[in-house]
Amino acid sequence: MTMKALVPTGDPDEPVTLADDPAALVRLTGEGRLRPEIGRVAGWADTASTLVDLRERRIRGKAVAQPRPIRRDHRRYPIMTSPREVVVRYVEAVRDGDARVIRESFAEDATWHYPGSLPISRIWRGRDAIVDEFLGGMGVHFVPGTMKIELVSTVAEGDSVVAEWTATARTFRGDDYDNRCIGVYTVRDGRIVEVVEYADTAHVAATLFRP
């Protein structure tokens, strides 16, 4: 008798295959983790008799059990990635203009400290303020399609990530914006909770906020 069970690992697309192990198939089916499909004839309604046949080893041919989908609430259980991956994903989302990923990158109570004495210099508190007012407010100064973001380097230690990037664009005033920035990111539970940014604020003032 040939037995094969596909056992879920948490990702329905990447099961672990167990060969020649009827005991595992019986146990997992009994726990409700698998839906047996015996010779592509027996269905879920035949589970009880199927288990008996498996235990008594009366089944001939191949028995295959398909994994039941595992659904997770990612609002309560976010996909866990390393702090560095979270920051890189965020910077790439800014580069690509992916508004959904940008918003999802921040914790609801995140903060962003921008230095200097500019109109935007302050501690921005909360995801909505950061995304809609701070980042969104900066975008109105640039000609659409001219902004280019390039991630230069990252250094990660624990939940802290230091990222360096360049930003170039054409402003509506006709100036060339060309800045090199550093951000110190703190990441917890797959979300950015704090950013302290360092930039050439004199260049920002001259190109974006001059009288």
Side-chain angles (χ1 to χ4, degrees), residues 23-44:
L25 182 58
V26 170
R27 176 176 57 81
L28 293 168
T29 306
E31 293 173 355
R33 295 172 60 188
L34 299 177
R35 291 181 180 272
E37 188 179 338
I38 307 304
R40 299 192 178 276
V41 175
W44 183 244

Side-chain angles (χ1 to χ4, degrees), residues 5-58:
L6 302 181
V7 182
T9 62
D11 184 345
D13 296 326
E14 298 182 0
V16 173
T17 300
L18 301 179
D20 302 321
D21 191 354
L25 182 58
V26 170
R27 176 176 57 81
L28 293 168
T29 306
E31 293 173 355
R33 295 172 60 188
L34 299 177
R35 291 181 180 272
E37 188 179 338
I38 307 304
R40 299 192 178 276
V41 175
W44 183 244
D46 304 318
T47 298
S49 60
T50 297
L51 291 177
V52 172
D53 288 340
L54 285 170
R55 293 191 184 98
E56 300 299 327
R57 304 205 172 207
R58 290 198 294 264

